[in-house]
Amino acid sequence: MKNLALACAAMMALLASRVSAAPIELGASVQLTGQFANTGRYYGDAYQFAVEKINAAGGVKVGNTREKLNLKILDNQSDVNLSVRQYVQLVTQDKVNFLLGPFASDFVLADSAIAEKYNVPMIQGGGASDQIFSRGYKYIFGTLPPASDYFDSTLDLMGQLKPPPATLALLYADDAFDVSVADGTRKDASKTKLKIVVDQRYSSKASDFNSILSLIKSQNVDAILVAGHETEVLNFIRQAKTLNVNPKLYSFTVGVPSADFRAALGQDANYAFGMSSWVPSAALKDEYFGNAEQFANEYKKRFGYEPDYHAASAVADVQAFVKAIESANSIDPVKVRDAIAKVDFDSLYGRVRFNSAGQINLPQTVVQVQKGKLVPIYGPKGMLEQPLYPMPEWSKR
Amino acid sequence: MQLLWQILVNGVLLGGLYALMALGLVLVWGVLNIVNLAHGALIMLGAYACYYLFTGLGWDPFAALPVAMVLLFCLGYVIQRYVLNLIIRAPMFNTLLITFGFEVVITYLAQIAFSADFRTINPSYAGANFSFLGATVPLVRLLAFAVALALTLGLWLFLEHTRIGRAIRATAQNLIAARLYGVNPRHLYALTFGIGAALAGAAGTLYGVVSQINPYIGSGLTGKSFAIAIIGGLDKSIYVLAGGLFLGIVEAVTALYIGPTYTDVVSFGILVLVLIVRPTGLLGRTA
Amino acid sequence: MKFSTKLALAGVGIALLATVPWWGSAVLVQFGINALILATLAQSWNIIGGYTGYPSFGNSVFYGLGGYGVAIAMVQYGLPFPVGLAIGIGLAVGFAILLGLPVLRLRGHYFAIATLGLAEVMTAIVSNLEIAGRNVGLILPLVKGDVLFFELSLILLVVTTLAVMWISRSRFGFGLIAIRENEQAAAVMGVNTTLYKILAFALCSVFAAVAGGIHAYWITYLDPGSAFDVALNVKMIIMAVFGGPGTIFGPVLGAFVLSAISEILAAKVTSLASIFFGIVIVAAIVFMPRGFADLVRRFRQSGWRYFQENIRTYRV
């Protein structure tokens, strides 16, 4: 009898919770196929993973109830125009409450206009270009640090090396993100003793760097900084080897932190510098995943590949919404938008808070590939490990 | 001066590979009057074929090259025989459209089969280089250049001196007469397209060794091959070689003296100029 | 059916379409704008490709120039939208005349390749121009409300189709058709082939440019890749060919049908949409190379044998 009553009570409670639970809808259009799918998948998978973890922990507290998160992901096939249309669909037809962003500044630039147009907050972790945040839009937030600051910590590190590099070659692809990086780097480098002797913009679709490399070699440049995409950086390193170009140091905005990039290059990846706004360290504590290291392990087990800062930043996006909704105690877009602007919490990605333009500010940790492993070298608190500098010549490795 | 010399060496080596890329396109265009917009996709497939032979079976890419060629030959034969043969007498413009359709389908299927991850073919000697009169010459590029030259010569010999080659040329010139001589055009057309695809496969293998592979490299390579085909001329394989070398050198020099973002402007600009001024190519016979 | 009946039907159709923004969902309006713009492009291609028989692979240049005219005018100089459109049209027509002169001397596939090359050159040139934002592109001011764009696109399509209708009944049009059928004979008979070809090219550039301007303003974003997209060229050609080149309503029909199918696929089974496009092209070229209009006409007579006959006509 008691058991039956208990069972009834449980059923009623269950029914009651089901009846009152209206899941909070999140929508995103991500590059799951197409030429950016290589990085786009980090976002799709990470959004999924975060939503699952948050739901398993009970969901989001709004008013007196806990609501689950519902995620709808569309594949934009790496086509900007399609992603714009999909965001409109998500807002107007699927009636999602909030938007998560795609990868790549070009996409974010176009898609954020939809968020602004329909007054639906979008948090994205895929676009860092300054242009995104200089339009005065109120409904777009970003968890990637400003593009123009990407090489700052690298430049700092270079000032501390012995003997410090004197000449610099700055190469950048001609897309929104990399142009922003180059503009910022040029400005910051002018404050140091470095002399920029090669300053070349190259086409995003380029695969042949022989001419640039030959120029760099003829000028005997000490340090090379490259702002580009993974495929370009890969080509660059391989061609630097075949043309026997031996700078003292080279650093890249992308590629180095990704495991499959290092695997593709094998031994040739050694000595390359890169940066990451995130390292999977146990020191980064998280409410849902424990800490960043645990997250990385679970992610790898779940999806079969290691996460990098793209994935971590995507998780931060979802968590930021949760925190904002709970803080606003509502799912009204205007209230949540204001709450997002004020969030400040620690997560596996680091400290999440947005400046007045809507962008996060996280320092970049300089990393280097040493003997096949990714080693954090220089962080906001100074040297973490000794860098291997200068880079030995190709023939001597 | 030293720098210019290095740039020229870069350009020549690149040019050889370019020429090989365009060779298959030119053969099919000249003989079948088919402008194959899927040519780059075939190059991409050749690169993947070599990649899987290299990583899966451990074969050296230059050893895998003939196998990749055979695989692509079969694919090309089937495409021509069972699809393209059906529209071969339609306005030539239809072949442009249908091969574009193929390009979309092949790229999509490749992305499903191979994933969008970029791949590299990295044999142990990939970084080797040596010095030649002050310029650094990467070994793989030199080997690719040699293979490209060999295949160009091989194609020429094939077309001039073998029975099948002569039959192909005859069919191109006069279908009715060729038929009277017992040539089966269905088979011969398929054969020609197959050879074109095989050459694309070879180019893909070499491309995979000097650059990186992903399912989307096709359309860019088709464009390049076009420019080379038009600039050089469609009549003989040696013209294609000249066109390839010309483009390789022009691109290398442009990248240095004008800027790396201007190479496409120059390549396609020359393409348009050549078409306007001398449509049979810089070397071709005036119509 | 009689032409006047077709016209009446079209009139009703247009009136209906014009009301869509008021009762249709936002997604339908979105789809509508895209389909209308594509239909305009297909129709403008019809002028040079369908009627004149010069298959241009470079109409995306006019589209892109229209878009950039609007973008540069509004973003760099703060000029209003109509002025931007005018600039875009000016650029496109100028391009059509200047480059049309040498390029229209080429025949058949050489013309197609040359226009394809032009599209690539323009992409490369614009991605180097600072005023156009190089490869990063330009962000246009945001306008809330799609009604404006829907009605503009509809008006544009109507105007373009009226132009094609006028062409089909005018001496100019007969001259174009004569050029298509046998250019040398046309010249011998006194048709000023060069003038007519340039005019056709310039006319189609106007409509493509306006389409590009509207699209750029609507999407609020423009970069060389999307403005001069080669795939867009093929899309408009396929739609025109699928619908029926050289007819008045064929390209419009083709554009709407193909857009609808593509959009449905993209929404439901996103991954299939791109391969669908490729398969449609292959199948259409093999089985119905003369277009949908021809299919409808002849199907009555031959039934399923229509497809077989097509193959027999064109195969080895």
Side-chain angles (χ1 to χ4, degrees):
Chain A
M1 201 64 233
K2 200 157 71 150
N3 286 340
L4 186 58
L6 222 53
C8 280
M11 281 284 282
M12 300 249 293
L14 202 65
L15 274 169
S17 66
R18 285 184 77 93
V19 160
S20 67
I24 302 173
E25 304 278 343
L26 297 172
S29 164
V30 177
Q31 295 93 323
L32 297 176
T33 58
Q35 57 181 115
F36 297 117
N38 202 34
T39 317
R41 63 179 167 158
Y42 284 105
Y43 292 90
D45 291 341
Y47 288 151
Q48 185 86 22
F49 203 21
V51 166
E52 281 169 12
K53 263 290 197 250
I54 293 171
N55 283 345
V60 185
K61 188 168 187 323
V62 188
N64 293 328
T65 53
R66 296 196 81 90
E67 319 272 12
K68 294 262 192 255
L69 286 171
N70 215 10
L71 179 64
K72 177 152 191 178
I73 297 191
L74 296 175
D75 176 13
N76 60 36
Q77 300 169 40
S78 300
D79 175 353
V80 183
N81 285 317
L82 183 57
S83 82
V84 172
R85 296 211 300 276
Q86 286 179 337
Y87 274 106
V88 176
Q89 181 194 320
L90 285 167
V91 171
T92 58
Q93 190 173 52
D94 299 312
K95 302 237 188 292
V96 298
N97 299 108
F98 305 107
L99 296 173
L100 292 165
F103 164 61
S105 294
D106 301 1
F107 284 75
V108 175
L109 264 172
D111 297 337
S112 52
I114 301 301
E116 191 73 10
K117 195 163 170 170
Y118 289 95
N119 290 354
V120 176
M122 175 191 279
I123 308 184
Q124 52 83 21
S129 149
D130 296 353
Q131 278 185 311
I132 299 174
F133 299 99
S134 59
R135 295 170 291 176
Y137 282 13
K138 295 246 160 294
Y139 284 83
I140 179 75
F141 297 89
T143 49
L144 282 188
S148 42
D149 296 340
Y150 260 58
F151 275 121
D152 279 359
S153 36
T154 313
L155 288 171
D156 275 347
L157 171 67
M158 280 162 65
Q160 300 192 17
L161 296 169
K162 304 210 189 336
T167 53
L168 181 63
L170 178 64
L171 303 176
Y172 57 104
D174 59 0
D175 64 290
F177 168 70
D178 299 306
V179 169
S180 281
V181 171
D183 288 341
T185 308
R186 223 177 271 122
K187 225 186 298 180
D188 294 331
S190 67
K191 299 191 196 118
T192 68
K193 298 210 188 76
L194 286 161
K195 184 156 165 288
I196 302 183
V197 292
V198 173
D199 188 336
Q200 286 260 18
R201 191 182 80 238
Y202 66 86
S203 207
S204 289
K205 297 170 284 170
S207 60
D208 191 75
F209 294 95
N210 279 3
S211 287
I212 300 180
L213 281 164
S214 304
L215 177 64
I216 290 176
K217 184 170 176 178
S218 74
Q219 306 256 26
N220 267 316
V221 182
D222 287 334
I224 310 177
L225 298 179
V226 181
H229 310 97
E230 283 195 24
T231 51
E232 296 149 21
V233 173
L234 191 79
N235 278 333
F236 183 85
I237 296 182
R238 294 183 75 199
Q239 287 168 20
K241 180 175 178 185
T242 59
L243 280 176
N244 206 15
V245 178
N246 298 297
K248 294 207 181 83
L249 170 161
Y250 52 25
S251 181
F252 307 95
T253 49
V254 294
V256 171
S258 306
D260 54 305
F261 176 87
R262 298 196 300 272
L265 280 173
Q267 295 267 43
D268 297 339
N270 282 333
Y271 304 102
F273 283 89
M275 75 277 289
S276 176
S277 48
W278 180 74
V279 272
S281 107
L284 292 166
K285 303 261 182 275
D286 187 89
E287 184 179 331
Y288 298 99
F289 288 93
N291 60 49
E293 195 178 1
Q294 285 176 320
F295 161 72
N297 293 335
E298 275 186 55
Y299 188 100
K300 169 124 192 238
K301 226 184 294 178
R302 169 77 195 274
F303 297 109
Y305 64 94
E306 285 174 28
D308 67 0
Y309 67 89
H310 299 111
S313 124
V315 170
D317 296 342
V318 182
Q319 290 195 20
F321 267 124
V322 173
K323 290 279 183 270
I325 295 170
E326 289 185 342
S327 150
N329 210 13
S330 134
I331 53 169
D332 171 64
V334 180
K335 294 205 181 106
V336 173
R337 182 232 93 84
D338 291 336
I340 299 174
K342 297 200 201 87
V343 292
D344 188 348
F345 65 97
D346 284 323
S347 72
L348 60 87
Y349 180 58
R351 184 168 175 194
V352 180
R353 65 182 161 161
F354 304 106
N355 65 20
S356 53
Q359 200 171 20
I360 205 175
N361 208 333
L362 286 175
Q364 297 278 10
T365 305
V366 179
V367 294
Q368 189 184 26
V369 184
Q370 298 183 349
K371 293 201 185 50
K373 291 221 185 320
L374 191 66
V375 179
I377 300 286
Y378 186 80
K381 300 202 183 81
M383 279 296 198
L384 300 164
E385 289 279 346
Q386 272 303 340
L388 296 175
Y389 170 86
M391 194 167 79
E393 286 182 24
W394 289 105
S395 49
K396 297 202 177 82
R397 292 196 203 180
Chain B
M1 204 54 226
Q2 170 89 326
L3 179 57
L4 182 59
W5 170 236
Q6 174 75 54
I7 297 291
L8 285 174
V9 169
N10 292 348
V12 166
L13 292 178
L14 186 63
L17 180 57
Y18 275 177
L20 181 60
M21 273 194 231
L23 208 56
L25 181 77
V26 169
L27 177 68
V28 166
W29 191 343
V31 171
L32 302 177
N33 221 21
I34 288 180
V35 182
N36 185 8
L37 288 179
H39 184 73
L42 294 173
I43 296 180
M44 177 265 292
L45 288 178
Y48 271 107
C50 177
Y51 172 78
Y52 282 109
L53 286 168
F54 174 69
T55 52
L57 296 175
W59 286 19
D60 180 88
F62 288 95
L65 187 137
V67 179
M69 287 180 75
V70 168
L71 287 171
L72 265 296
F73 173 83
C74 298
L75 179 66
Y77 188 94
V78 165
I79 291 179
Q80 178 70 35
R81 181 95 194 220
Y82 298 109
V83 186
L84 288 175
N85 267 354
L86 294 176
I87 57 138
I88 201 147
R89 288 190 300 138
M92 197 241 221
F93 164 70
N94 288 20
T95 64
L96 271 165
L97 290 177
I98 205 177
T99 53
F100 181 84
F102 275 129
E103 208 262 335
V104 172
V105 172
I106 294 177
T107 306
Y108 177 81
L109 290 175
Q111 198 231 275
I112 301 277
F114 308 130
S115 97
D117 288 346
F118 48 82
R119 317 275 190 187
T120 55
I121 303 177
N122 221 355
S124 54
Y125 50 87
N129 54 63
F130 58 92
S131 202
F132 175 64
L133 298 179
T136 310
V137 176
L139 179 65
V140 261
R141 294 232 172 184
L142 186 65
L143 285 175
F145 183 75
V147 171
L149 274 184
L151 283 173
T152 309
L153 187 66
L155 182 69
W156 177 74
L157 284 171
F158 173 77
L159 288 175
E160 291 281 323
H161 295 293
T162 63
R163 233 186 61 208
I164 302 183
R166 281 197 285 244
I168 291 177
R169 278 164 56 223
T171 318
Q173 283 166 359
N174 192 332
L175 176 61
I176 300 178
R179 264 195 151 122
L180 286 174
Y181 273 87
V183 163
N184 175 358
R186 244 174 275 193
H187 170 69
L188 213 67
Y189 284 168
L191 209 61
T192 313
F193 196 84
I195 297 176
L199 289 167
T205 307
L206 297 173
Y207 184 82
V209 183
V210 306
S211 184
Q212 52 77 31
I213 317 167
N214 67 64
Y216 310 100
I217 53 177
S219 49
L221 293 176
T222 307
K224 277 261 151 71
S225 307
F226 260 94
I228 297 164
I230 295 285
I231 293 174
L234 299 175
D235 303 321
K236 296 198 179 140
S237 30
I238 192 94
Y239 294 167
V240 181
L241 187 61
L245 287 173
F246 178 76
L247 198 71
I249 296 175
V250 162
E251 279 194 359
V253 173
T254 307
L256 183 67
Y257 291 111
I258 307 180
T261 50
Y262 290 91
T263 48
D264 272 358
V265 176
V266 172
S267 313
F268 290 108
I270 296 184
L271 162 68
V272 175
L273 272 171
V274 168
L275 271 175
I276 294 176
V277 170
R278 211 184 146 84
T280 47
L282 291 176
L283 293 173
R285 259 168 291 133
T286 351
Chain C
M1 61 174 94
K2 272 187 11 181
F3 188 69
S4 48
T5 332
K6 264 198 224 170
L7 214 53
L9 265 173
V12 171
I14 295 171
L16 254 173
L17 273 177
T19 64
V20 165
W22 282 275
W23 50 262
S25 68
V27 180
L28 185 63
V29 173
Q30 271 250 307
F31 162 73
I33 299 176
N34 262 311
L36 288 168
I37 290 182
L38 275 170
T40 305
L41 286 173
Q43 191 68 287
S44 78
W45 183 87
N46 197 14
I47 300 175
I48 188 76
Y51 280 91
T52 321
Y54 271 74
S56 158
F57 267 78
N59 278 28
S60 61
V61 175
F62 306 134
Y63 177 82
L65 284 173
Y68 270 101
V70 168
I72 295 178
M74 296 185 76
V75 175
Q76 308 283 34
Y77 297 108
L79 299 165
F81 179 57
V83 176
L85 274 181
I87 294 180
I89 295 177
L91 284 172
V93 172
F95 188 88
I97 297 177
L98 270 172
L99 278 125
L101 270 166
V103 157
L104 283 162
R105 287 187 303 142
L106 300 166
R107 295 297 174 77
H109 50 283
Y110 282 119
F111 174 74
I113 306 288
T115 50
L116 192 60
L118 279 176
E120 295 277 4
V121 176
M122 279 316 285
T123 315
I125 291 180
V126 171
S127 67
N128 280 300
L129 286 178
E130 180 139 21
I131 199 175
R134 296 219 183 93
N135 205 28
V136 178
L138 294 168
I139 312 278
L140 286 96
L142 190 63
V143 167
K144 299 201 181 183
D146 282 345
V147 180
L148 171 71
F149 294 110
F150 188 90
E151 302 301 341
L152 273 178
S153 314
L154 182 60
I155 294 173
L156 178 64
L157 178 61
V158 170
V159 170
T160 314
T161 309
L162 283 173
V164 173
M165 200 179 298
W166 167 77
I167 286 179
S168 70
R169 315 176 138 233
S170 70
R171 239 184 81 181
F172 176 59
F174 292 146
L176 292 180
I177 297 177
I179 293 176
R180 179 184 77 205
E181 298 301 323
N182 188 333
E183 186 160 352
Q184 276 163 334
V188 162
M189 289 208 293
V191 173
N192 186 342
T193 54
T194 313
L195 179 67
Y196 275 39
K197 283 190 287 189
I198 301 269
L199 276 177
F201 210 34
L203 195 60
C204 79
S205 77
V206 171
F207 300 121
V210 178
I214 295 178
H215 188 261
Y217 196 22
W218 176 50
I219 294 275
T220 68
Y221 172 69
L222 189 68
D223 77 339
S226 56
F228 299 106
D229 190 10
V230 171
L232 188 65
N233 269 316
V234 180
K235 261 198 191 142
M236 65 173 106
I237 295 175
I238 282 293
M239 290 173 177
V241 167
F242 186 79
T247 67
I248 301 174
F249 294 108
V252 179
L253 195 65
F256 281 154
V257 169
L258 285 177
S259 294
I261 304 182
S262 170
E263 199 71 22
I264 293 173
L265 279 178
K268 302 294 173 208
V269 195
T270 33
S271 40
L272 278 187
S274 45
I275 200 179
F276 157 77
F277 192 53
I279 296 181
V280 161
I281 297 178
V282 176
I285 298 287
V286 172
F287 293 114
M288 38 178 285
R290 275 179 282 225
F292 201 68
D294 188 79
L295 168 73
V296 164
R297 222 179 305 147
R298 301 261 187 96
F299 197 72
R300 273 178 227 199
Q301 298 166 330
S302 348
W304 292 106
R305 282 188 301 125
Y306 173 73
F307 298 116
Q308 223 178 346
E309 273 165 23
N310 270 335
I311 296 181
R312 202 170 299 152
T313 321
Y314 291 125
R315 69 154 189 224
V316 178

